[in-house]
Amino acid sequence: MKISGKSVIPASEITPRALFEQRRHFMQLALGASAGLLAESVFAGEKLPATLSEAYGLTDKLTPLKDVTQYNNFYEFDTSKEGPAKLAGSLKTRPWTVSVEGEVRKPKQFDIDALLKLAPMQERIYRLRCVEAWSMVIPWLGYPLAELLKQVEPTSEARFVEFVSLADPEQMPGQRKPVLEWPYREGLRIDEAMHPLALLIFGLYGEMLPNQNGAPVRMVVPWKYGFKSAKSIVKIRLLKQPPVTSWMQAGPSEYGFYANVNPAVDHPRWSQAKERRLGDFLKRPTLPFNGYAEQVAGLYVGMDLTKNF
Ligand SMILES: Nc1nc2c(c(=O)[nH]1)N[C@H]1C(S)=C(S)[C@@H](COP(=O)(O)O)O[C@H]1N2
Ligand SMILES: [Mo]
């Protein structure tokens, strides 16, 4: 698959213009903060230091923080977009452990504060596109999931990775309704999970993740529809067989295992050809693999992506 124009810039080809644009965004960010424009945010306010990863620079305009933190999909709290920001205060993110198990030589339970320090924290500006045809551009803070997987030493039998979110109806009022089968479960093929673009995320916009964005730790898989990026993860399981994900269980004809962003494959109930950036008025065309084709198309060589949707 080919796309016209580079939207993600490999380190070797980073242009002065791209660097300039990127710095400009960060200056805007800093100015916004000092002018009190971030004051409305619902952050616990804890800073998360990170190094800007220029290899993955984007020149897209950042999505306003207000949209990032007040327009969410997090069905464990509520199925409305505004609900999670209002209700996620009940989520307790400390103490928190993430258990990594299954087809690994060294299964391990990671305390969240140890997990934070497992690899250098990077800042990466990524697009994330929801299956509902809206998208956003966020400065995420995290590191490649591969860093964690390497530590537990997957066996040669490990072909898939399953992500399991927290299940606790006391903290997550949306789980008192059978909207999805809880806990929320998602999955990737092992090569997708090991891809350097697939990030384990702890923060955004310079600070720890707000609860409604998936605190204390979530995935961001930018070439796939947003639902693949599981929030508030408590377990990562390496498997021989593909896991049955919550969305596949809810609607197998609508939500496939791969869920790669693909403008040519419509959702049965709506078109995927265009998207609306949060904060924008006009729609824009959706790009194959959400603009990351150059980096990830090679993972799917020989596959019919209309069948493996
Ligand atoms: N556990 C869990 N993870 C989830 C969801 C969810 O409902 N529960 N929603 C997904 C969907 S559909 C999207 S688009 C993104 C939204 O992330 P955001 O709220 O940070 O924008 O989270 C994904 N991860
Ligand atoms: Mo989504």
Side-chain angles (χ1 to χ4, degrees):
M1 187 126 13
K2 268 204 155 289
I3 53 164
S4 54
K6 289 199 178 65
S7 33
V8 177
I9 304 143
S12 53
E13 290 172 38
I14 212 150
T15 63
R17 159 103 188 157
L19 276 177
F20 168 78
E21 288 289 338
Q22 196 170 58
R23 295 214 172 98
R24 195 171 58 91
H25 288 314
F26 277 85
M27 295 215 359
Q28 285 173 347
L29 210 63
L31 285 172
S34 62
L37 297 179
L38 304 182
E40 271 182 283
S41 93
V42 280
F43 286 146
E46 216 183 314
K47 298 261 177 277
L48 182 56
T51 308
L52 177 62
S53 173
E54 294 188 330
Y56 296 92
L58 279 184
T59 56
D60 303 36
K61 186 163 69 75
L62 297 177
T63 300
L65 182 63
K66 193 170 179 296
D67 293 317
V68 173
T69 59
Q70 294 181 35
Y71 189 94
N72 303 101
N73 271 344
F74 202 168
Y75 281 16
E76 285 89 333
F77 292 98
D78 194 49
T79 52
S80 74
K81 304 299 176 209
E82 308 74 34
K86 292 184 188 133
L87 296 165
S90 54
L91 178 66
K92 262 190 67 201
T93 58
R94 293 291 187 289
W96 189 281
T97 52
V98 177
S99 167
V100 190
E101 54 188 58
E103 286 294 333
V104 296
R105 267 178 225 105
K106 296 184 174 161
K108 195 171 167 182
Q109 300 221 359
F110 293 86
D111 179 76
I112 187 67
D113 293 308
L115 202 56
L116 270 161
K117 295 186 195 105
L118 190 87
M121 197 59 66
Q122 300 177 21
E123 181 149 35
R124 291 204 199 166
I125 301 172
Y126 275 2
R127 309 187 184 96
L128 193 59
R129 199 234 195 238
C130 180
V131 74
E132 295 163 330
W134 48 271
S135 64
M136 53 208 171
V137 181
I138 298 177
W140 298 101
L141 308 173
Y143 54 75
L145 176 67
E147 300 275 4
L148 170 61
L149 296 181
K150 274 187 268 173
Q151 295 250 330
V152 296
E153 299 181 14
T155 70
S156 57
E157 300 279 277
R159 303 204 34 230
F160 295 89
V161 183
E162 181 182 40
F163 304 90
V164 184
S165 299
L166 180 71
D168 183 357
E170 299 270 306
Q171 297 182 58
M172 298 177 138
Q175 287 185 337
R176 294 169 205 161
K177 291 177 226 150
V179 183
L180 288 172
E181 192 159 302
W182 313 113
Y184 191 98
R185 283 159 291 113
E186 259 309 333
L188 298 172
R189 222 168 52 189
I190 186 96
D191 57 338
E192 298 178 318
M194 294 294 279
H195 192 281
L197 276 178
L199 295 187
L200 199 57
I201 293 294
F202 302 88
L204 54 78
Y205 268 104
E207 304 194 17
M208 297 286 187
L209 278 174
N211 287 355
Q212 63 268 32
N213 293 93
V217 59
R218 69 173 292 171
M219 283 298 296
V220 171
V221 191
W223 69 96
K224 292 177 180 278
Y225 292 118
F227 66 88
K228 300 297 288 182
S229 295
K231 295 175 166 179
S232 305
I233 294 168
V234 292
K235 193 177 291 188
I236 298 175
R237 218 185 268 140
L238 286 93
L239 303 170
K240 293 179 189 169
Q241 300 294 329
V244 178
T245 70
S246 294
W247 282 108
M248 286 170 74
Q249 211 161 30
S253 61
E254 304 197 352
Y255 307 102
F257 177 78
Y258 285 95
N260 290 319
V261 173
N262 191 342
V265 176
D266 289 338
H267 184 281
R269 291 182 281 136
W270 59 83
S271 165
Q272 293 293 24
K274 289 185 178 173
E275 67 199 60
R276 193 179 68 83
R277 276 288 152 80
L278 296 187
D280 282 3
F281 179 68
L282 293 175
K283 289 187 179 169
R284 63 179 72 210
T286 285
L287 300 173
F289 297 107
N290 200 26
Y292 299 93
E294 203 178 328
Q295 288 83 2
V296 301
L299 295 170
Y300 309 101
V301 170
M303 282 175 66
D304 181 347
L305 296 180
T306 61
K307 291 204 180 87
N308 296 287
F309 62 88

